[in-house]
Amino acid sequence: MKKSTLTLIIILAVVVIFGGCGVSKYNSIVRQDQAVKSKWSNVEAQYQRRADLIPNLVATVKGAANFEKETLTQVMEARAKATQITIKGDDLTPEKVQQYQAAQGQLSTALGRLLAVSEAYPELKANQNFRDLQAQLEGTENRITVARNDFSTAVQDFNSTVSTFPNNIVAGFGGFKAKEYYMADKGAENAPKVQF
């Protein structure tokens, strides 16, 4: 065999091996990107579940107690704002995630006020419908926390993959960039104050 033929075979073998590794890395990054998008969809689904429960909660509270209309108005306005903001899995920019998070934070604050004010009304607390809805909301808040944690884990896995060598080279060629984490709301480290 000629030396040039042997050299050509070696070069082709190296190209095939590295090409195969590159394709494998690229496919791995694509799978992780899809996992991040799927986890984001789960976060949105849990927030939608909460938004769907709110009209029932407000109607129950209205029917059982005649108190601050301002609180009910704030809840409904916050719900309307929160449901207007949506983000596609392909568009998880830091700005849009923060905007979505801020709207959901306002809704959480308004719901907290509604539940706190309702504590002052014994007939409302005794109402089975209200207790059922409150339990549903508490369960939903727990589901939201789990969905956000799953999303953050998927983002961490994806970001670790696209940031390490040699994956960062393949990610650069594929146009993959690090994703934004879902962060705690500003002031979340402070306990809420409940005043009547």
Side-chain angles (χ1 to χ4, degrees), residues 11 56 70 90 92 95 109 130 138-139 141 168-169 173 192:
I11 290 172
N56 294 329
E70 180 183 338
D90 294 334
L92 291 171
E95 298 80 23
T109 301
F130 178 75
E138 288 169 359
E141 293 300 321
N168 59 347
I169 296 170
F173 284 127

Side-chain angles (χ1 to χ4, degrees), residues 9-31:
I9 290 172
I10 291 172
I11 290 172
L12 285 174
V14 169
V15 167
V16 168
I17 290 171
F18 282 117
C21 289
V23 168
S24 174
K25 299 279 185 204
Y26 179 82
N27 289 340
S28 174
I29 293 170
V30 168
R31 278 191 295 276

Side-chain angles (χ1 to χ4, degrees), residues 124-143:
L124 180 60
K125 285 171 50 178
N127 181 309
Q128 185 62 42
N129 290 338
F130 178 75
R131 289 197 322 244
D132 291 346
L133 284 168
Q134 190 173 14
Q136 287 287 325
L137 277 173
E138 288 169 359
T140 299
E141 293 300 321
N142 289 336
R143 289 177 180 166

